[in-house]
């Protein structure tokens, strides 16, 4: 079964063809990061227009590279939540039009569940159940994943996402966008214990996250106790702040993920989303996981960032589970909460 | 023209949430609350309290919309929570700001990026006066905002 996947939830326009949920026949991505970097932020109107311009050529490229004409596609999967509503609508509307024109089955995919499935794509041997941690600019969530289409939400951020904290700290320090790679680069080779920042655990039983405090901690470290007296920082100081901040975020993520493993008696941990590219997170999760008898699975970078192969792959399982959608499928900007 | 301006000092994040909760209890459909202040000034904490006051069942439901630009919560009335932090050019129409404006209460973080285009609004400026101390200045800009501020118990 060949599934065409379409992803337009934020900064990337992506399309992919995946066979039987496993074999990636093509995986095309066109990023708007450069476009947004010029402005230093997102321009929503521009983001939607860029998706509109890119979606047809990106889908055509994915079909061509896969050697699969639309007539040999067996289903269409599209990200329908969460994300920028205007951006999501471009993919959803295009996918619905394709489904209507070709009569192929259509299925809407949760972007965050897609990030979990990306770990399956990278590690076909990974067996369910496992604990999954999805960390990106917009999301920080822990799940008990029982099968491809069944994920129980155990905890999520109560304020800022981890990737958002990286972006905001990079902006406070003036070291560039996107913040994750900039902070990691600056922190390389520095002693993370030289400057310590808050690790917000939210109580011994909690699997939720809070990254607003550590961001504010960095701000006051840089601007003085009243927040009004910025000091000139040397390159070395900036690097130490980055190392201390990164360590604080990584410690919380690893601690909570391993807590979830212990609580559910699960010995496998899958990590996805853009922040899963972070080298320090990979190192610490692997080391502390090994000590706790937990094997960690981090996909290569191209499967951590937004892509459509994960949407096509998960779409296959959703269609097989009878979860096809009709043409009333709509974009849902905010993820529905568990409580 | 500003007819009345109110100032409140907050000693902690919890205190900020309590202040906001009282305002939240007074919210009516169509009200707009526009928050301005630096990173870490307590804007998201304020929205958590505001949402509780508006009948949203759990403050943990309120998270930063920096990435998705808008969250929506269901309380006694719908609460729309915008965040323009990473938006370079604020185009309110393409952000859906005017859709459902009259049916919901609206709160905006980094509102200074949109300025007067937000229309009748209660502006709240957050100023750090110490590591956990914050001064909140309430400035009603419009008839509706003046009415909101006068309904809210101080």
């Amino acid at each position: 079964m060949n599934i065409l996947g379409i992803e337009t939830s934020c900064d990337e326009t992506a399309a992919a063809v995946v066979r039987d949920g496993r074999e990636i026949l093509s995986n095309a991505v066109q990023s708007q990061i450069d476009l947004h970097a010029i402005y230093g932020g997102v321009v929503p109107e521009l983001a939607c227009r860029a998706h509109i311009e890119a979606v047809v050529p990106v889908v055509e490229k994915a079909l061509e590279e896969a050697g699969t004409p639309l007539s040999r596609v067996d289903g269409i999967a599209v990200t329908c939540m969460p994300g920028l509503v205007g951006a999501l609508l471009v993919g959803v509307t295009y996918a619905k039009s394709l489904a209507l024109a070709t009569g192929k089955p259509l299925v809407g995919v949760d972007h965050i569940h897609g990030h979990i499935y990306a770990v399956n794509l990278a590690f076909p041997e990974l067996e369910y159940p496992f604990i999954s941690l999805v960390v990106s600019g917009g999301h920080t969530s822990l799940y008990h994943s029982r099968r491809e289409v069944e994920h129980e939400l155990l905890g999520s951020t109560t304020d800022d996402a981890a990737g958002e904290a990286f972006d905001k700290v990079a902006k406070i320090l003036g070291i560039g966008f996107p913040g994750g790679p900039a902070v990691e680069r600056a922190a390389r080779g520095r002693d993370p214990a030289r400057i310590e920042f808050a690790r917000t655990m939210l109580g011994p039983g909690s699997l939720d996250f809070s990254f607003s405090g550590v961001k504010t901690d960095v701000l006051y470290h840089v601007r003085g106790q009243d927040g009004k007296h910025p000091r000139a920082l040397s390159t070395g100081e900036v690097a130490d702040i980055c190392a201390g901040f990164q360590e604080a975020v990584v410690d919380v993520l690893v601690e909570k993920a391993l807590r979830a493993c212990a609580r559910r008696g699960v010995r496998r941990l899958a990590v996805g989303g853009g922040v899963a590219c972070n080298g320090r997170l990979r190192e610490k999760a692997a080391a502390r996981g090994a000590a706790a008898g937990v094997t960690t699975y981090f996909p290569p970078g191209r499967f951590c960032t937004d892509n459509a192969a994960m949407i096509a792959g998960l779409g296959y399982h959703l269609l097989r589970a009878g979860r096809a959608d009709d043409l009333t499928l709509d974009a849902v900007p905010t993820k529905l909460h568990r409580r | 023209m500003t007819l009345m301006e109110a100032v409140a000092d907050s000693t902690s994040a919890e205190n900020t949430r309590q202040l906001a909760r009282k305002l939240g209890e007074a919210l009516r459909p169509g009200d707009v609350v526009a928050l301005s202040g630096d990173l870490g000034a307590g804007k998201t904490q304020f929205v958590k309290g505001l949402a509780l006051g508006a009948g949203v069942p759990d403050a943990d439901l309120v998270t930063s919309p920096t990435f998705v630009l808008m969250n929506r919560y269901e309380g006694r009335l719908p609460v729309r929570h915008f965040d323009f932090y990473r938006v370079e050019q604020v185009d309110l129409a393409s952000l859906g700001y005017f859709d459902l404006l009259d049916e919901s209460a609206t709160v905006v973080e980094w509102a200074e990026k949109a300025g007067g285009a937000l229309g009748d609004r209660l502006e709240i400026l957050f100023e750090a006066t110490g590591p956990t101390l914050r001064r909140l200045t309430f400035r009603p800009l419009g008839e509706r905002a003046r009415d909101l501020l006068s309904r809210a118990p101080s």
Side-chain angles (χ1 to χ4, degrees), chain A residues 39 42 158-159 164 223, chain B residues 38-39 48 64 66 86 88:
Chain A
Y39 293 96
V42 169
T158 59
D159 41 53
E164 176 184 344
R223 301 208 183 150
Chain B
D38 209 343
L39 281 170
K48 282 177 182 277
S64 167
T66 293
R86 68 185 200 117
E88 186 63 25

Side-chain angles (χ1 to χ4, degrees), chain B residues 1-4 26 28-32 118-123 139-152:
Chain B
M1 192 177 70
T2 307
L3 283 186
M4 57 178 183
R28 287 181 185 162
D31 286 338
V32 176
L118 292 172
D120 190 327
R121 65 200 183 280
L122 175 59
E123 205 175 73
R139 197 175 288 158
L141 299 172
E143 202 55 52
R144 185 185 278 280
R146 277 190 288 277
D147 190 44
L148 167 62
L149 195 56
S150 66
R151 282 198 310 274

Side-chain angles (χ1 to χ4, degrees), chain B residues 5 7 11-12 21 32 38 40 42-43 52 58 63 75 77 83 87 92 97 101 103-104 109 114 126 128 140 144 146:
Chain B
E5 195 173 279
V7 174
T11 52
S12 64
R21 191 170 181 149
V32 176
D38 209 343
K43 296 184 294 300
L52 284 178
D58 184 346
T63 58
L77 73 173
D83 183 331
V87 180
L92 291 175
Y97 178 81
L101 180 63
E103 285 86 353
S104 26
E109 296 193 49
F126 289 69
R144 185 185 278 280
R146 277 190 288 277

Side-chain angles (χ1 to χ4, degrees), chain A residues 232-276:
Chain A
L233 297 172
S234 69
T235 314
E237 275 176 294
V238 168
D240 286 339
I241 292 170
C242 286
F245 161 77
Q246 175 175 264
E247 199 75 2
V249 173
V250 164
D251 277 351
V252 173
L253 291 172
V254 172
E255 170 67 29
K256 299 263 173 168
L258 293 178
R259 257 185 213 177
C261 291
R263 193 168 306 169
R264 293 301 171 106
V266 174
R267 306 180 82 80
R268 289 176 292 271
L269 170 65
V271 187
V275 180

Side-chain angles (χ1 to χ4, degrees), chain A residues 98-123:
Chain A
L98 281 179
L100 178 64
T102 61
K104 311 279 184 191
L106 170 75
V107 64
V109 177
D110 182 322
H111 178 82
I112 306 181
H113 294 171
H115 275 301
I116 299 171
Y117 193 75
V119 190
N120 285 115
L121 281 175
F123 300 98

Side-chain angles (χ1 to χ4, degrees), chain A residues 250 254 271 275-287 296 298-301 304:
Chain A
V250 164
V254 172
V271 187
V275 180
C277 293
N278 183 276
R280 188 65 186 152
L281 176 60
R282 287 172 179 245
E283 273 168 37
K284 270 211 142 165
T296 53
F298 280 83
C304 292

Side-chain angles (χ1 to χ4, degrees), chain A residues 83-102:
Chain A
L84 307 175
V85 67
L88 283 167
L89 271 173
V90 175
V92 168
T93 307
Y94 188 60
K96 279 158 65 168
S97 311
L98 281 179
L100 178 64
T102 61

